[in-house]
Amino acid sequence: MSDIRIKTLEELIVLREAGRILATIVADLKSSLKPGMTTRDIDLLAEGLVVRHAVTAAFKGYRGFPANACISVNEEVVHGIPGARVIKDNDLVSIDMGIIHKGYFSDMAVTVGIGSLEASRQKLIDVTRQALLKGIAEARPGNRLGDISSAIQKYVESKGFSVVRDFVGHGIGKDLHEDPEIPNYGEPHKGVLLRSGMVFAIEPMVNMGRFGIKILEDGWTAVTIDKKPSAHFEHTVAITESGPMVLTE
Ligand code: MG
C-alpha cells in the first residue's frame, strides 16, 4: 500500500515558496548556457545561486551524488554528473535540480537546446515539454494516477518517440521522494485516486529512439542504449480542488 501524504495549507505555502525559488534558479541557469562551457561550470553557477537564495541543494550528498544539479547531455537521459564535458552547438542539455527550503523540497528539470538545433532535436524538446503539460492537466481530484501516466505516454508515442521506463516521478514534500511512484506510461483510470493536497514531481524522460537505457560505470549517469538523444522536463505540482497548481514556475 502506498502512503501518500496529504499536505496542509501551511505546507503548501512553503512548498510554493520552494518551487518559486527553484524556478528562479533554473531560469538563471538556462539563460547562462552557452557553447564552450563545461557541465561543471553550470554546476558552479548552480552552487552560487543556491547560496544567494539561502536554500540547500537537495541532490548534493543524496546517496553520495557529488554535485548541486544533475546535468545530462544528448544521449545522457538523467543523473549526469557535472564534469569536464564541454557543451556545444546542437547539444541538448538537461538540468535537473532540487532544493530544500524551510524543510521542504522542490524538484524541477528542463532540457535546453544549445545554439541552432536540428529540427528533430527541437521536436524532441517540444514534445517532452508538452508531454509534461499533458500529464499535469490530469493531476486533479477524482482522477487516478494512471490518468497522468497514460496521458504522457499516449502523447509521446503519438509523436514517434518513446518514454523511459526505468525512472519515474514521485510524491514530494518533507522528503525528496515520497509515495507514490509516477510512471510516465500506464493505463488510464487505474491506480490511486488523486486527492487535493497531494504534491507530485511529474517528470517525463523521452527518448528519440528506443526507451532502453543503461547506467555508466560512474554509477549514476543513465544513457540511451541506442545513443540517440533524450529530453527531460519536470515540475513539482500540487493537486488542489480547482485542479493542478504548478509550484515550480
Ligand atoms: Mg524528480
Side-chain angles (χ1 to χ4, degrees):
M1 260 311 275
S2 76
D3 173 29
I4 303 174
R5 293 184 203 157
I6 302 295
K7 275 69 178 180
T8 64
L9 184 58
E10 290 72 20
E11 288 181 301
L12 288 172
I13 290 167
V14 179
L15 281 160
R16 179 72 177 117
E17 289 172 3
R20 277 216 177 97
I21 296 167
L22 180 57
T24 303
I25 291 174
V26 171
D28 278 358
L29 290 174
K30 236 177 113 167
S31 61
S32 54
L33 294 182
K34 47 181 184 293
M37 291 173 87
T38 66
T39 54
R40 184 181 289 114
D41 292 335
I42 303 167
D43 192 62
L44 286 172
L45 290 174
E47 187 164 308
L49 290 165
V50 159
V51 170
R52 189 195 297 171
H53 289 277
V55 293
T56 305
F59 301 167
K60 194 162 196 173
Y62 180 84
R63 296 186 185 164
F65 189 79
N68 299 279
C70 297
I71 302 173
S72 310
V73 182
N74 295 337
E75 78 290 349
E76 296 172 353
V77 176
V78 72
H79 300 160
I81 300 175
R85 186 166 182 166
V86 176
I87 62 172
K88 51 187 196 317
D89 203 50
N90 197 40
D91 275 351
L92 300 187
V93 177
S94 299
I95 301 172
D96 184 2
M97 192 165 170
I99 60 163
I100 313 169
H101 166 70
K102 298 181 181 170
Y104 286 83
F105 288 77
S106 56
D107 193 357
M108 178 180 184
V110 294
T111 296
V112 185
I114 305 299
S116 49
L117 283 189
E118 282 166 29
S120 60
R121 290 177 169 234
Q122 186 61 55
K123 181 182 169 194
L124 181 66
I125 290 179
D126 295 342
V127 166
T128 309
R129 187 196 298 111
Q130 195 60 32
L132 172 58
L133 298 181
K134 298 273 184 193
I136 290 172
E138 299 298 325
R140 52 182 67 252
N143 273 2
R144 291 188 178 271
L145 194 63
D147 293 317
I148 298 175
S149 305
S150 72
I152 292 169
Q153 180 180 21
K154 238 165 67 187
Y155 179 74
V156 168
E157 293 178 354
S158 78
K159 299 295 176 184
F161 297 140
S162 62
V163 290
V164 171
R165 268 52 168 180
D166 300 73
F167 299 100
V168 296
H170 48 93
I172 184 167
K174 273 190 171 172
D175 288 302
L176 177 58
H177 295 123
E178 298 183 356
D179 282 339
E181 290 195 339
I182 307 168
N184 297 301
Y185 59 94
E187 299 282 316
H189 319 308
K190 297 275 171 67
V192 298
L193 191 60
L194 305 183
R195 289 175 52 195
S196 177
M198 292 178 174
V199 178
F200 292 167
I202 304 174
E203 51 175 322
M205 284 149 253
V206 175
N207 291 353
M208 189 179 287
R210 299 174 65 86
F211 63 70
I213 63 107
K214 63 177 182 180
I215 308 293
L216 297 184
E217 275 173 14
D218 63 20
W220 281 103
T221 314
V223 298
T224 56
I225 290 173
D226 62 15
K227 299 192 169 62
K228 291 185 179 170
S230 185
H232 181 199
F233 281 85
E234 174 178 26
H235 271 309
T236 299
V237 180
I239 299 176
T240 76
E241 285 307 333
S242 53
M245 177 192 271
V246 177
L247 302 180
T248 39
E249 68 179 12

